[in-house]
Amino acid sequence: MIKQIEAILLSSGNAQKLADFYKDVVGLQITEEIEVGEKGEKGFEVSFGKGNGAGLYIMDHSEIKGKNSQGARVMFNLEVDDIEKEVAKVKENGVKLVQNIYHVEGYGLIATFEDVDGNYFQFVQVRPNES
């Protein structure tokens, strides 16, 4: 029996640069830097403060070269309490907007962005009356 998603790994040819983007531009908290494997590749753990749910790790990966040419293939959502505020903040920081805020019936509001590696991530504001 599969119980849940334990972690999401976001692989990069330059995990330091990608982790810095998510920390400095998006506002995520990097709680730990780790060394991975025999080649001294880096990994970064992202904390969301709740202590439950899947972890997010940004990892060097020797087989990843350049930007992701299909950013929409796999996306991850970051739940926010004020989507308009968070969207404005990352737009001011020059993050590429893929899709501005839109409504999904029965769910809430979503906006999609592209990170420095070409991966898509979304801000999601779940509306209590729609969850």
Side-chain angles (χ1 to χ4, degrees):
M1 173 177 90
I2 298 171
K3 297 183 344 183
Q4 66 182 7
I5 292 176
E6 186 273 331
I8 297 171
L9 307 179
L10 190 55
S11 297
S12 177
N14 187 339
Q16 180 72 62
K17 179 179 177 185
L18 191 56
D20 288 346
F21 168 84
Y22 279 104
K23 177 176 67 85
D24 299 336
V25 179
V26 178
L28 297 183
Q29 181 181 4
I30 306 295
T31 54
E32 188 172 358
E33 181 177 335
I34 55 178
E35 188 173 310
V36 181
E38 310 303 316
K39 298 178 184 176
E41 294 177 318
K42 290 184 178 182
F44 300 88
E45 178 182 31
V46 177
S47 173
F48 296 103
K50 292 181 183 178
N52 58 3
L56 175 62
Y57 297 87
I58 300 169
M59 311 292 289
D60 277 329
H61 196 293
S62 61
E63 294 182 24
I64 303 295
K65 308 288 186 233
K67 288 185 81 165
N68 181 356
S69 64
Q70 296 181 319
R73 183 173 292 265
V74 175
M75 292 185 270
F76 63 94
N77 293 351
L78 300 169
E79 186 176 350
V80 299
D81 57 359
D82 184 341
I83 195 167
E84 291 182 12
K85 175 183 161 190
E86 297 300 327
V87 166
K89 180 178 76 174
V90 296
K91 283 172 65 175
E92 286 174 12
N93 286 330
V95 178
K96 180 179 177 182
L97 177 67
V98 175
Q99 175 68 48
N100 208 351
I101 299 170
Y102 62 97
H103 178 256
V104 175
E105 187 175 346
Y107 186 62
L109 302 172
I110 299 175
T112 307
F113 294 91
E114 182 179 290
D115 71 21
V116 294
D117 272 9
N119 306 302
Y120 289 4
F121 68 95
Q122 297 181 310
F123 285 152
V124 176
Q125 183 176 339
V126 178
R127 293 194 170 177
N129 60 346
E130 295 187 283
S131 56

